[in-house]
Amino acid sequence: MRDTLITVTGNVQKNAWADRVLPPVECVRDGVWSIPIPFLDNPMRYTLSYLLLGHEGAVLVDPGADSEVGWRHLGAGLRQAGLAVTDLTGIVATHYHSDHLGMAERLRETSGAWLALGEHEVRDVSSDDAIAIAADRNQLAVWGVRGGMLHKLTVTSEKVAGLRGLALPDLRLADGQLLPAPGLCVRVIATPGHSPGHVCLIDEARGLIFSGDHVLPRISPHVTFETPGPANPLADYFASLERIGFEDDMEVCPAHEYRFTGMRRRVKQLVEHNLRRAAEVLEVLDERSPRTVWEIAQHLTWSRGWDSLQALSLRLALSETASHVVYLQSRGYEINVPVGARAPTPVNELAEADRGDLA
Ligand SMILES: [Zn+2]
């Protein structure tokens, strides 16, 4: 059992997590700071923003959700590292979620820093509210959401406007490239799955991996199927886990929760967790002959029970179930449950290797 456990290195963060308080700003290495930014009204409670100091500039990774309190925390964290907001020269968002780059726009306006995202990351929202809302309602209906629940779960124009308000990048980061920041030697690694163009960053000299939401120490990141979006996000996620699970000694700096070592062990846990989930989906298919994603999801185990899922959590439950259906279809299972407009991608190599576990 021991060899499957991670080693927590952010002990102060872990204690803060248990105490339900915001962890402190920490100097992780010479020139690397961890600055927690509150994520209000969300169980994740905070995003860990990382400041990387180079010879002639400073890069902030995942500035966090946009709020007045977040802005104050960020300013105070930068001051603790000896910087003002105007000293920032670059901003990197590991992916296009509001709790990671929500604050990017006003940070860019204040500092003039460039904003960079992975080359395949997309802000996928129609410029027309009515089209975006109709497409969303259609997707939910395909998954088997009916009646009042369909109305309740469908995206609102307020939400669409919020998505549209997220900052567009000045730069795109390709897999394998170094961050364009003098004095920093930080490599980009493309890790699609949690989002289509998610990236992790590796600072080999300092022994650090900035893992965004790709790998977190405690929870398994959401891998959701959305249309439009990648054809087989769960297969992408497995392949991305394999890409990052190459070693155990570097310290992992995630965007939530706390730092740890044991990336390879954590990756193993996440693969096993998702394969167990896929097996559970197969069981439901076998025993209950469900006709929709909804009918599958309601018979899966959820940490607080199916009935506790509402709004966003229910949506995520459905789109995760859909990602499993698409993945299983790509592995050759004949599943006649509609998921969306897109056909699944071919089986990837990792999926092939794991075939036995699912039988
Ligand atoms: Zn995310």
Side-chain angles (χ1 to χ4, degrees):
M1 190 63 195
R2 192 88 215 136
D3 64 330
T4 63
L5 298 177
I6 60 163
T7 306
V8 176
T9 52
N11 287 300
V12 178
Q13 296 173 322
K14 192 173 180 204
N15 291 339
W17 178 262
D19 294 341
R20 303 182 157 270
V21 295
L22 199 65
V25 172
E26 287 181 73
C27 183
V28 182
R29 296 279 191 283
D30 197 19
V32 179
W33 293 75
S34 161
I35 305 173
I37 305 295
F39 184 14
L40 306 172
D41 304 321
N42 188 286
M44 295 311 294
R45 299 206 289 272
Y46 55 84
T47 302
L48 295 168
S49 186
Y50 295 98
L51 174 67
L52 315 178
L53 300 174
H55 294 322
E56 295 163 35
V59 173
L60 191 72
V61 181
D62 284 344
D66 190 25
S67 70
E68 287 311 316
V69 63
W71 185 251
R72 284 201 300 278
H73 275 271
L74 181 58
L78 292 173
R79 272 196 298 285
Q80 208 170 321
L83 259 67
V85 169
T86 47
D87 293 325
L88 288 180
T89 52
I91 305 159
V92 176
T94 55
H95 62 296
Y96 232 135
H97 286 171
S98 62
D99 55 318
H100 294 258
L101 91 167
M103 207 130 65
E105 191 59 74
R106 70 159 123 176
L107 204 50
R108 175 165 59 181
E109 272 172 27
T110 312
S111 65
W114 46 259
L115 168 65
L117 275 156
E119 61 179 337
H120 298 299
E121 194 62 335
V122 283
R123 189 184 70 178
D124 223 340
V125 58
S126 166
S127 56
D128 183 316
D129 277 19
I131 292 175
I133 291 166
D136 191 60
R137 187 182 296 118
N138 184 38
Q139 174 64 85
L140 291 166
V142 166
W143 289 342
V145 184
R146 300 282 180 263
M149 192 54 88
L150 185 56
H151 181 70
K152 223 164 141 183
L153 290 191
T154 300
V155 75
T156 59
S157 41
E158 199 188 359
K159 176 91 183 157
V160 172
L163 287 173
R164 218 180 274 130
L166 289 177
L168 287 168
D170 306 297
L171 301 174
R172 289 291 187 172
L173 300 171
D175 183 46
Q177 80 163 81
L178 294 174
L179 284 189
L184 287 179
C185 189
V186 176
R187 194 167 295 283
V188 174
I189 175 162
T191 49
H194 175 66
S195 76
H198 190 290
V199 292
C200 293
L201 302 174
I202 298 190
D203 184 337
E204 263 165 33
R206 294 192 269 215
L208 298 173
I209 303 177
F210 302 94
S211 65
D213 279 0
H214 179 48
V215 175
L216 299 170
R218 193 184 62 94
I219 63 161
S220 178
H222 290 291
V223 177
T224 59
F225 177 84
E226 304 277 351
T227 46
N232 194 345
L234 187 55
D236 294 343
Y237 186 61
F238 279 133
S240 295
L241 284 176
E242 190 179 37
R243 297 199 74 200
I244 198 103
F246 55 87
E247 72 95 81
D248 255 347
D249 296 330
M250 292 173 92
E251 187 170 16
V252 184
C253 298
H256 301 284
E257 303 177 337
Y258 37 82
R259 297 189 307 280
F260 65 96
T261 57
M263 179 61 106
R264 195 162 50 198
R265 286 167 279 168
R266 183 62 186 140
V267 160
K268 195 163 175 275
Q269 291 174 347
L270 288 167
V271 170
E272 283 167 1
H273 168 84
N274 279 288
L275 289 176
R276 271 199 306 278
R277 195 60 160 171
E280 200 188 350
V281 170
L282 283 180
E283 247 171 65
V284 172
L285 285 160
D286 241 26
E287 289 166 10
R288 300 183 180 266
S289 308
R291 287 158 303 164
T292 61
V293 166
W294 176 282
E295 288 178 12
I296 299 171
Q298 72 183 142
H299 295 295
L300 297 174
T301 40
W302 301 100
S303 51
R304 290 183 192 83
W306 169 253
D307 291 334
S308 76
L309 298 173
Q310 286 177 32
L312 180 64
S313 58
L314 181 52
R315 232 196 129 80
L316 289 171
L318 292 167
S319 57
E320 272 197 47
T321 305
S323 78
H324 276 279
V325 170
V326 169
Y327 173 71
L328 288 165
Q329 286 170 333
S330 77
R331 305 277 310 276
Y333 290 93
E334 211 174 299
I335 302 170
N336 293 318
V337 171
V339 283
R342 206 162 279 114
T345 46
V347 179
N348 71 31
E349 277 163 34
L350 182 75
E352 198 73 89
D354 288 326
R355 197 169 178 90
D357 296 326
L358 274 171

